[in-house]
Amino acid sequence: MADWIYILNPNKDTLDGEPSNKETIRRLAQEEPELDLWLSRRNRMECGDRLWFFFTHPESAVAAVAEVDKEPRDDPENPGVWYLVGATLLNDATQALYRAPVTRDELGLGQVRSVQKVKPHALPVLLERAGL
C-alpha cells in the first residue's frame, strides 16, 4: 500500500461544478463518498492505496482521505490526455482530519505538485490525526 498527497486548489479545481474545498469534501464523504479524480499523468497507484487531500486555500493542510478503488485508467472522453482514478472517501477519517488538519509544515512539503508520495516522516502524523 502506498500513500499519496492529492493537491486540491479550491480556487481552480471543482468536483462536478462544486468548489473543491474542505466543506464540499466533508459533505461528499457523508453523502456520496465515491469519486473519480483527474490525474495529469498515470501514477503507479493501486487498489488499497490512500489519497490524502491537501487543500491549498485558505489554509494549506490535509483535511480528507480516500482509498483507491480503481487503478488509474484512460478517460474515454479524452484519450491519451488525462487519467482517472476511482476512490472512496473515508468518512470517519475525513471528519477527524476536517476537525484537526495536518498543516504543510507538519508534512514537510517543499514544492507542491498535483500528486506526490507522502514523505515517510509525515505518515505517522496523518494516520494519527485521521484515527487510522
Side-chain angles (χ1 to χ4, degrees), residues 3-123:
D3 290 271
W4 303 85
I5 299 286
Y6 188 90
I7 310 296
L8 286 173
N9 181 340
N11 295 330
K12 294 181 181 177
D13 302 321
T14 63
L15 295 168
D16 292 332
E18 294 185 63
S20 59
N21 57 30
K22 293 184 339 182
E23 290 72 25
T24 298
I25 297 293
R26 179 181 184 206
R27 182 184 55 73
L28 288 173
Q30 293 175 324
E31 298 173 5
E32 297 178 56
E34 294 180 6
L35 303 172
D36 274 328
L37 302 166
W38 293 97
L39 297 172
S40 60
R41 58 188 168 93
R42 188 182 299 266
N43 292 67
R44 292 189 176 107
M45 291 180 189
E46 298 178 1
C47 292
D49 286 0
R50 284 184 292 244
L51 297 174
W52 300 88
F53 291 90
F54 179 85
F55 298 88
T56 59
H57 295 294
E59 173 189 20
S60 295
V62 169
V65 63
E67 186 173 294
V68 174
D69 302 311
K70 299 174 190 163
E71 293 181 14
R73 62 198 185 280
D74 291 327
D75 179 353
E77 294 179 19
N78 295 306
V81 178
W82 297 100
Y83 302 101
L84 293 174
V85 63
T88 299
L89 290 161
L90 305 177
N91 184 46
D92 292 343
T94 293
Q95 300 306 323
L97 286 164
Y98 180 86
R99 290 187 297 275
V102 180
T103 67
R104 180 187 191 124
D105 290 341
E106 292 173 293
L107 292 169
L109 280 180
Q111 181 183 11
V112 179
R113 296 184 310 250
S114 60
V115 177
Q116 61 195 63
K117 285 204 172 184
V118 171
K119 294 183 180 185
H121 72 274
L123 187 56

